[in-house]
Amino acid sequence: MSKIVILTGAGISAESGIETFRAEDGLWAQHRVEDVATPEGFARNPELVVSFYNARRKQAAEVSPNAAHKALARLEQLYAGQVIVVTQNVDDLHEKGGSQNVMHMHGALKSALCAACDHRWPAPMVMAPGDICPKCSAPAARPDIVWFGEMPYEMDAIFDHLAEADIFAAIGTSGNVYPAAGFVAEARSNGAHTIELNLERSAVGNQFAEHRTGPATRTVTDWVDELLGAKTPTRPGFR
Ligand code: APR
């Protein structure tokens, strides 16, 4: 059975109301990455970092999955092969939209991590610096987010999936951050058909065999309908 590996980025959640990172009014226009998304920033000012993620956790709890999230869940449910979603996003909109095979390579807002013993537990809506770890009782709780300079999660499993992918799709990601930006090259080298669904060409757009341009709620829905045979294919790559 054929296998589809799908990488998603902030763009798939944009139409749900969550701002992306690198848009002109995006998160990195409002906050310095080194202040809120690095271990050094957390050590320097844990209150600032914890409140940044508290605000994002609250926002993520208030928004809903959009048609693109739901289309991927439909694909996972109805496609005869295997569908894996590897997301850079830390919101839970894929799960709320019905996806089950979701790998959060950059962590998740709904998870808390103990910096002392590596224990993970469901994060409270509001975390505070020095929260106690329920397992080792150290005052070492932190957001379970992969910060710049830290190793993304599940990389071995992700590369195993890329080795077996027949189709690799990247949805709503700018291709600026590795290792995720290198997945298309990995999938191509393993013979996968590669497709980018985005408002515009990403930084690695030239490495994709196929592009679908437009908002994810339209392009992803159309793409999934074609894969499920509900629509006649409009482009090569769907035989
Ligand atoms: N439909 C499809 N694509 C969209 C939409 C939309 N409605 N809105 C925006 N996009 C695209 C943009 O064109 C851009 O290519 O989504 C992408 C968002 O890019 P970024 O803001 O860079 O987000 P992302 O690629 O997910 O960032 C990767 O960088 O800062 C780190 O850890 C953070 O996971 C994040 C990583």
Side-chain angles (χ1 to χ4, degrees):
M1 281 301 172
S2 59
K3 183 170 199 172
I4 303 178
V5 178
I6 300 162
L7 172 70
T8 64
I12 199 170
S13 296
E15 290 165 270
S16 292
I18 297 183
E19 62 269 64
T20 62
F21 291 96
R22 292 172 181 83
E24 273 170 29
D25 57 348
L27 275 171
W28 295 153
Q30 303 162 39
H31 306 273
R32 285 166 21 106
V33 171
E34 51 272 34
D35 289 344
V36 295
T38 62
E40 296 77 14
F42 182 64
R44 203 168 40 243
N45 188 341
E47 289 78 8
L48 173 69
V49 174
V50 170
S51 61
F52 174 69
Y53 289 98
N54 285 343
R56 293 181 66 197
R57 188 175 302 108
K58 180 174 179 295
Q59 181 193 39
E62 291 165 351
V63 297
S64 304
N66 62 53
H69 297 107
K70 292 173 185 170
L72 294 186
R74 193 166 73 245
L75 181 66
E76 179 186 310
Q77 192 185 2
L78 300 175
Y79 187 69
Q82 193 184 9
V83 177
I84 304 286
V85 172
V86 178
T87 188
Q88 300 172 91
N89 300 340
V90 293
D91 61 60
D92 61 344
L93 292 178
H94 281 300
E95 292 86 346
K96 281 183 181 170
S99 286
Q100 292 175 353
N101 289 337
V102 183
M103 305 174 84
H104 281 270
M105 64 179 289
H106 288 171
L109 290 167
K110 292 193 88 169
S111 175
L113 170 66
C114 176
C117 75
D118 257 358
H119 176 59
R120 285 179 173 81
W121 65 98
M125 186 57 76
V126 179
M127 291 186 75
D131 277 349
I132 301 296
C133 169
K135 183 175 179 190
C136 75
S137 303
R142 56 164 274 189
D144 187 11
I145 301 293
V146 177
W147 288 325
F148 284 92
E150 296 183 322
M151 177 58 76
Y153 296 153
E154 307 205 63
M155 291 307 294
D156 291 344
I158 292 169
F159 274 85
D160 289 346
H161 287 308
L162 291 172
E164 298 160 1
D166 299 287
I167 297 175
F168 173 76
I171 302 171
T173 180
S174 62
N176 280 301
V177 175
Y178 286 80
F183 291 173
V184 54
E186 182 72 17
R188 277 188 79 130
S189 70
N190 294 315
H193 173 68
T194 54
I195 174 171
E196 182 172 72
L197 300 95
N198 198 311
L199 290 179
E200 59 191 13
R201 292 275 174 120
S202 74
V204 291
N206 61 346
Q207 298 180 34
F208 287 83
E210 185 177 352
H211 296 86
R212 299 282 177 101
T213 304
T217 51
R218 176 171 58 74
T219 59
V220 177
T221 309
D222 287 349
W223 178 57
V224 166
D225 285 347
E226 283 175 25
L227 285 169
L228 295 177
K231 280 187 180 175
T232 49
T234 55
R235 300 285 176 79
F238 299 95
R239 293 184 224 306

